[in-house]
Amino acid sequence: MNRSARAFWLRSPGHGEIRDITLAGPADGEVLVRSLYSGVSRGTETLVFRGGVPTSQHGAMRAPFQEGDFPGPVKYGYLSVGVVEEGPDALVGRTVFCLYPHQTRYVVPVSAVTVVPDSVPAERAVLAGTVETAVNALWDAAPLVGDRIAVVGGGMVGCSVAALLARFPGVRLQLVDADPARAKTAEALGVGFASPGDALGDCDLVVHASATEQGLARSLELLRAEGTVLELSWYGDRRVALPLGEAFHSRRLTLRSSQVGTVSPARRSSRTYADRLALALGLLADPALDALITGESAFEELPEVMPGLASGEIPALCHRVRYTGAPGTQ
């Protein structure tokens, strides 16, 4: 079998290229996966593309199968869906999700792939990593029935959180974003929408995912006394100024971080990383989540597409990358 492959590399900040590689055959306990789709996480991945990972975070920000180092050359990414071509009989021919960069074929341990449920199309399964982030965030946030909740920031992560919160009974939920175009996405997810100035206050919980200091400041304003902001944004090497004077202390507000790199302490004793990812994949049976995929291009186009995604010239929540042999391709 031809085990050649092609991989997308960040040669230097702002400049990507596709490299030809040759793969070794899978050893015992490994699988060879042929990619169908991968996803570009527009927040973290485009920050990497711009060279915005702080030196202090180079270790923490490494992807599971990253090659090279920040700021580059580096092969980075973590939303891959493919078909197992070689490996254990039980997996050959199965569609799987893997936290692997953009590459046409790859070899990984069996433990690194998760079978995509039959109820989830491969095209949608690229969202698994982001929905997993949302699952972890809600384990951290622990929303209650009937809570008043706002999600500030209608990007890929914020919309994923809102989509899951929409299933909670009795909540008053708004997706808050400065871009009025996000109203259409909110509608598709079954979530109310508001601009920052029109958002409803007195919130028990605000999940912040706009990656702007203005959004974080507005999140604090939307809280009731003793409410909580769960911070999901990652600012890279940017400093953020916050209004922690005035009534911040007298209202006893809480600002709490959440990050997907570790399983939430609320579930760490009873759930593994594999459990969390399997849960996220199962939740993707909901076709409403297709609203989070807002663009698609061929793998070969990535060197031209990534600069546009990083600059915002190509607007996107999740941008899907299509590989030769995926449904609908030759």
Side-chain angles (χ1 to χ4, degrees):
M1 176 178 288
N2 179 6
R3 295 197 181 98
S4 63
R6 308 185 79 202
F8 176 74
W9 279 73
L10 174 63
R11 184 176 69 248
S12 61
H15 302 281
E17 64 185 10
I18 291 177
R19 299 183 181 182
D20 294 319
I21 57 176
T22 300
L23 302 176
D28 288 344
E30 293 184 328
V31 289
L32 172 66
V33 178
R34 174 174 56 83
S35 298
L36 296 174
Y37 302 97
S38 58
V40 178
S41 176
R42 190 170 176 269
T44 302
E45 206 168 334
T46 58
L47 187 146
V48 169
F49 188 79
R50 295 192 299 268
V53 180
T55 302
S56 65
Q57 296 300 304
H58 282 191
M61 281 298 298
R62 287 192 69 85
F65 294 99
Q66 174 180 325
E67 293 183 38
D69 297 297
F70 303 118
V74 64
K75 183 175 76 175
Y76 191 84
Y78 45 82
L79 301 173
S80 180
V81 177
V83 173
V84 175
E85 291 192 321
E86 296 183 50
D89 291 343
L91 287 175
V92 171
R94 301 298 301 273
T95 300
V96 295
F97 176 85
C98 184
L99 297 168
Y100 204 88
H102 309 285
Q103 186 166 307
T104 58
R105 280 187 173 90
Y106 50 88
V107 175
V108 293
V110 168
S111 60
V113 299
T114 303
V115 173
V116 176
D118 292 340
S119 58
V120 179
E123 299 96 312
R124 192 185 305 146
V126 296
L127 297 170
T130 308
V131 173
E132 183 183 12
T133 299
V135 167
N136 206 59
L138 294 184
W139 283 348
D140 279 335
L144 299 176
V145 172
D147 272 358
R148 301 182 181 101
I149 304 173
V151 177
V152 176
M156 191 174 171
V157 171
C159 284
S160 295
V161 171
L164 299 191
L165 282 170
R167 307 175 183 206
F168 277 65
V171 299
R172 187 197 76 187
L173 176 64
Q174 283 190 318
L175 180 65
V176 180
D177 199 281
D179 182 358
R182 290 287 183 259
K184 184 176 180 180
T185 305
E187 181 181 6
L189 297 174
V191 176
F193 177 83
S195 66
D198 295 331
L200 298 172
D202 198 31
C203 290
D204 303 287
L205 169 68
V206 177
V207 179
H208 179 242
S210 82
T212 67
E213 64 178 48
Q214 296 90 345
L216 183 51
R218 183 60 176 145
S219 296
L220 290 169
E221 292 173 349
L222 294 175
L223 289 177
R224 62 164 175 81
E226 301 186 352
T228 296
V229 169
L230 189 78
E231 176 59 280
L232 285 180
S233 301
W234 192 66
Y235 300 91
D237 55 3
R238 289 181 292 139
R239 291 182 177 271
V240 176
L242 278 181
L244 299 184
E246 300 180 346
F248 177 80
H249 288 83
S250 63
R251 296 177 65 217
R252 301 182 61 86
L253 303 182
T254 297
L255 175 60
R256 182 180 180 189
S257 66
S258 178
Q259 209 271 341
V260 73
T262 57
V263 174
S264 168
R267 292 293 179 271
R268 195 172 297 158
S269 65
S270 59
R271 302 291 192 280
T272 65
Y273 288 98
D275 293 332
R276 189 178 66 181
L277 180 55
L279 172 59
L281 278 165
L283 291 169
L284 283 168
D286 185 353
L289 289 163
D290 284 333
L292 305 187
I293 300 172
T294 53
E296 183 176 286
S297 60
F299 168 74
E300 291 76 13
E301 297 172 322
L302 265 179
E304 292 75 42
V305 168
M306 282 297 292
L309 290 171
S311 68
E313 179 183 350
I314 302 175
L317 292 174
C318 177
H319 186 87
R320 187 167 57 207
V321 179
R322 181 183 67 254
Y323 294 79
T324 301
T329 63
Q330 299 299 318

